[in-house]
Amino acid sequence: MAAACLEDPSLERHFKGHRDAVTSVDFSLNKKQLASGSMDSCLMIWSMRPQMRAYRFVGHKDAVMCVQFSPSGHLVASGSRDKTVRLWIPSVKGESTVFKAHTATVRSVHFSSDGQSLVTASDDKTVKVWTVHRQKFLFSLSQHINWVRCAKFSPDGRLIVSASDDKTVKLWDKTSRECIHSFCEHGGFVNHVDFHPSGTCIAAAGTDNTVKVWDVRMNRLLQHYQVHSAVVNSLSFHPSGNYLVTASNDSTLKILDLLEGRLLYTLHGHQVMVWKTNFDAADYGDVLKTQKSGASVDGTHHSLQSEMDCGVHLKKTKTQDPGRNHQQQEEETIANTLEHIVGQLDVLTQKCLDLSSELFAYFHKTVSILEQRLTLTEDKLKECLENQQKIIQNKVN
């Protein structure tokens, strides 16, 4: 029992400084710094060394929706509701360059593993790829029919995966710039997607409260998790590939054991928190082994007719989350439901505002065209009148 306790996650640091909801966090590769973005329009860089003050970077004119360190750690990219992307130097000066990346909110930024390219995703329904040097636009991927919440490069940089409010996850070939597969198993908007460190699997989180894992070589669903009681906002694979961390509107983080196909831990917290684990202490070997069945982590299993050499060995383990009584669960469910409704109303409001802007622009353009045509008509009438007057004058003479 004592040995097992050593593996339990423990709260290491608690960062407070943002004035509104935290939207995104990312570690530098050397784990010495942590970047966070917030609805307060600021980006903050936190030092993992005690007593070191945080840097607050101001530049965006609206909420910062996403942040990521470059592989070298020398740059931080941020995307905002102000439709721009900024590249920051994470030092005390906080210098940045800015470019207009999209025509709507930028939801996601992600560097390629070589640090040379940046992929962005937006409410304008597109995914765009840029060079980091000079921020030069390369190409756009435009097959989604609703907001694109997230886009990521594969570890080898040859593929791009994107998640959208059109309820699909799309896999793109970077060279041909074509969609090579669409995963349509989610029952709601898809908020986040990530590549497994091996590059052979992807995981996605959705508003249907589920997390799904697919094999991108066979385009098969491998695992289906339903461990959250509300919308799942984001997820990330552990570098070992053995674990998946998920975050939800139910105010919890969940750590999923991919080898066992079960919920391992539930973490409760708020603001920016850093948890310490010793997951690396256990040598599970490669996570991707021959799989004979798929798992739905709600206490049930479903079989997959699979010849895959990519997957996870699963056990029939019913997930339990001890330590809560029935009344607490009911109260939390009601709170989460209300929060979800408020969140959906916020999304609807934003869409209405965007639609109003588009209608206003269309109306303004239509009025301008009518004014031009009326001016031309008026000029022609004047010309005709002058000609008639000349004809009458000639007849009189």
Side-chain angles (χ1 to χ4, degrees), residues 370-389:
L370 288 173
E371 286 178 346
Q372 291 174 5
R373 290 182 177 177
L374 285 170
T375 301
L376 289 172
T377 303
E378 186 179 0
D379 291 342
K380 286 183 179 180
L381 286 172
K382 285 182 179 178
E383 186 180 348
C384 288
L385 183 60
E386 289 173 356
N387 288 337
Q388 289 294 326
Q389 288 175 342

Side-chain angles (χ1 to χ4, degrees), residues 23-220:
T23 58
S24 178
V25 292
D26 189 53
F27 271 109
S28 62
L29 196 61
N30 62 14
K31 302 296 186 291
K32 291 182 178 179
Q33 290 181 309
L34 179 71
S36 62
S38 169
M39 299 297 285
D40 64 10
S41 304
C42 293
L43 180 146
M44 295 192 71
I45 304 293
W46 314 84
S47 174
M48 295 304 294
R49 287 184 293 176
Q51 311 305 321
M52 289 291 290
R53 69 183 184 89
Y55 302 141
R56 181 188 298 275
F57 295 161
V58 179
H60 284 296
K61 294 179 175 61
D62 207 333
V64 179
M65 308 305 295
C66 49
V67 296
Q68 199 209 10
F69 273 97
S70 65
S72 67
H74 296 150
L75 290 173
V76 177
S78 60
S80 170
R81 271 188 180 171
D82 65 14
K83 308 173 188 177
T84 69
V85 167
R86 283 183 178 264
L87 293 178
W88 307 83
I89 298 174
S91 63
V92 64
K93 291 183 179 179
E95 298 171 343
S96 69
T97 58
V98 60
F99 59 99
K100 179 71 178 293
H102 290 271
T103 59
T105 297
V106 183
R107 296 277 175 184
S108 170
V109 291
H110 187 251
F111 288 97
S112 58
S113 57
D114 61 8
Q116 299 300 307
S117 301
L118 185 73
V119 62
T120 59
S122 169
D123 287 359
D124 65 12
K125 307 174 188 176
T126 69
V127 173
K128 294 186 178 182
V129 177
W130 313 77
T131 61
V132 174
H133 182 60
R134 297 181 184 276
Q135 298 91 58
K136 181 183 176 183
F137 171 73
L138 293 178
F139 59 87
S140 183
L141 306 173
S142 308
Q143 289 188 25
H144 282 294
I145 58 174
N146 208 330
W147 296 0
V148 187
R149 296 277 180 173
C150 184
K152 298 281 186 74
F153 284 110
S154 61
D156 61 11
R158 292 187 296 177
L159 300 174
I160 294 171
V161 68
S162 58
S164 168
D165 279 9
D166 63 14
K167 303 182 181 180
T168 70
V169 172
K170 292 187 182 293
L171 194 65
W172 311 81
D173 183 285
K174 185 187 174 188
T175 303
S176 68
R177 304 176 186 179
E178 293 182 352
C179 178
I180 57 180
H181 192 76
S182 292
F183 300 95
C184 306
E185 285 86 351
H186 271 288
F189 299 160
V190 190
N191 286 330
H192 198 87
V193 67
D194 196 17
F195 272 98
H196 187 274
S198 69
T200 58
C201 293
I202 56 172
T207 60
D208 58 0
N209 305 356
T210 69
V211 173
K212 291 179 170 62
V213 181
W214 293 276
D215 178 347
V216 299
R217 296 172 298 181
M218 303 293 291
N219 297 329
R220 297 278 190 96

Side-chain angles (χ1 to χ4, degrees), residues 229 328-338:
S229 60
Q328 286 176 321
Q329 290 178 344
E330 284 188 346
E331 290 174 354
E332 187 172 290
T333 300
I334 293 170
N336 290 331
T337 302
L338 290 173

